[in-house]
Amino acid sequence: AYIYRTSTQRTPYGMTASSKKWKLYKGEIVTTYGGYYTFKNGKHYFKVGGPRKQYVRTANLGPVIGTNTSTSSNNSSNTTTNNTQPVGKDETTVTVTTPYTYLFTEVPGKIEVQRTNKRVKKGDKFVVDRLEQGTRAGTGQDGDDDNELAIYHIKGTDYWIYNNDVQAAKQLSVQSYNKTDKSLITMDQPVEVYNADGTSQNIRIKKNDLVWRVDSLSYIWVAKENKA
């Protein structure tokens, strides 16, 4: 797998001259930061370094084997590993209840998802941070019925899993979409504005100042804070 700084430009991986290399090889473990980025070529990439731009295509990486300080492993190439990271207040843990089910990933440029070849088994646990109905869940309609088909996003990954295949430790608020491609937000506190590479634009938006249009949720690496 090559390391990229843009969709067409490759870059070496590593922070020092002795550690730099132009390729990652099968079996190597690499740390990624935040969710994926969609480049101009429509393909998805994970950030693997900083503060320089260093990205690897999501398609070239296998299942998540650990998050933060927690790790787990699984020898089956068909089965993803458990997502064992800490659970935040707007997150929950789900347990797979069906004998075998597949994970889903987003279709580039669209809200909908498609099935992957990543299969999980009964008893596997994941931390999820979002529950959606409507377009992404494939229902084609909105609604607030808790029994309607919905889909969970697995925290820190590019994967989703349907609610009828899992048992959740607690109910998350359902986000409903029907052909939605934008949202309007206001700030509940002053916020700083960043570039995609995590550098500040030296602009601050005031609390409740204006209504802003947002198109997506992304994670960026902020070097001065040393976190995503």
Side-chain angles (χ1 to χ4, degrees), residues 183-189 191 205-214:
S183 296
L184 299 177
I185 64 170
T186 57
M187 309 302 172
D188 62 4
Q189 59 184 332
V191 298
I205 300 176
K206 297 179 182 179
K207 177 180 179 180
N208 297 327
D209 184 25
L210 295 169
V211 176
W212 299 84
R213 169 178 167 160
V214 294

Side-chain angles (χ1 to χ4, degrees), residues 72-93:
S72 60
S73 62
N74 193 308
N75 292 325
S76 172
S77 59
N78 245 355
T79 308
T80 191
T81 54
N82 284 357
N83 181 330
T84 55
Q85 54 198 312
V87 181
K89 68 174 183 176
D90 296 320
E91 302 162 356
T92 190
T93 300

Side-chain angles (χ1 to χ4, degrees), residues 208-223:
N208 297 327
D209 184 25
L210 295 169
V211 176
W212 299 84
R213 169 178 167 160
V214 294
D215 302 299
S216 63
L217 172 65
S218 301
Y219 290 87
I220 60 175
W221 180 258
V222 182

Side-chain angles (χ1 to χ4, degrees), residues 87 90-98 124-131 146 150-153 161-174:
V87 181
D90 296 320
E91 302 162 356
T92 190
T93 300
V94 297
T95 304
V96 178
T97 56
T98 53
D124 281 350
K125 297 180 183 293
F126 301 95
V127 175
V128 295
D129 56 11
R130 189 171 182 83
L131 177 63
D146 289 341
I151 194 166
Y152 286 103
H153 176 253
I161 189 169
Y162 277 100
N163 65 332
N164 59 351
D165 290 320
V166 299
Q167 177 67 46
K170 71 175 183 180
Q171 179 67 32
L172 295 184
S173 299
V174 180

Side-chain angles (χ1 to χ4, degrees), residues 5-224:
R5 65 182 305 274
T6 70
S7 59
T8 58
Q9 294 181 327
R10 295 173 183 168
T11 187
Y13 175 68
M15 298 304 298
T16 65
S18 60
S19 67
K20 287 181 180 178
K21 54 185 179 180
W22 288 86
K23 297 178 185 178
L24 296 172
Y25 293 91
K26 184 175 181 179
E28 286 193 66
I29 296 173
V30 62
T31 300
T32 64
Y33 301 94
Y36 67 80
Y37 294 79
T38 303
F39 281 14
K40 290 181 178 180
N41 59 6
K43 297 177 181 179
H44 295 168
Y45 295 77
F46 278 125
K47 188 174 181 64
V48 294
R52 295 201 323 273
K53 296 180 179 179
Q54 298 172 342
Y55 301 89
V56 172
R57 283 189 60 191
T58 58
N60 290 335
L61 298 180
V64 175
I65 63 170
T67 55
N68 294 338
T69 57
S70 300
T71 59
S72 60
S73 62
N74 193 308
N75 292 325
S76 172
S77 59
N78 245 355
T79 308
T80 191
T81 54
N82 284 357
N83 181 330
T84 55
Q85 54 198 312
V87 181
K89 68 174 183 176
D90 296 320
E91 302 162 356
T92 190
T93 300
V94 297
T95 304
V96 178
T97 56
T98 53
Y100 282 99
T101 189
Y102 288 89
L103 299 182
F104 290 74
T105 190
E106 295 182 29
V107 178
K110 297 183 179 180
I111 299 175
E112 65 194 67
V113 294
Q114 61 187 2
R115 199 183 82 172
T116 71
N117 63 353
K118 303 293 185 183
R119 196 169 68 174
V120 296
K121 63 183 183 299
K122 185 175 182 179
D124 281 350
K125 297 180 183 293
F126 301 95
V127 175
V128 295
D129 56 11
R130 189 171 182 83
L131 177 63
E132 290 189 9
Q133 291 174 340
T135 306
R136 203 185 317 264
T139 62
Q141 59 184 356
D142 290 338
D144 56 4
D145 183 354
D146 289 341
N147 294 318
E148 185 181 343
L149 185 65
I151 194 166
Y152 286 103
H153 176 253
I154 299 177
K155 181 180 177 181
T157 76
D158 193 22
Y159 296 122
W160 298 71
I161 189 169
Y162 277 100
N163 65 332
N164 59 351
D165 290 320
V166 299
Q167 177 67 46
K170 71 175 183 180
Q171 179 67 32
L172 295 184
S173 299
V174 180
Q175 308 295 322
S176 296
Y177 285 89
N178 184 21
K179 306 301 181 183
T180 300
D181 60 2
K182 67 178 181 179
S183 296
L184 299 177
I185 64 170
T186 57
M187 309 302 172
D188 62 4
Q189 59 184 332
V191 298
E192 190 169 357
V193 179
Y194 293 91
N195 296 307
D197 62 1
T199 56
S200 174
Q201 292 191 3
N202 297 316
I203 298 172
R204 290 184 67 83
I205 300 176
K206 297 179 182 179
K207 177 180 179 180
N208 297 327
D209 184 25
L210 295 169
V211 176
W212 299 84
R213 169 178 167 160
V214 294
D215 302 299
S216 63
L217 172 65
S218 301
Y219 290 87
I220 60 175
W221 180 258
V222 182
K224 71 176 183 180

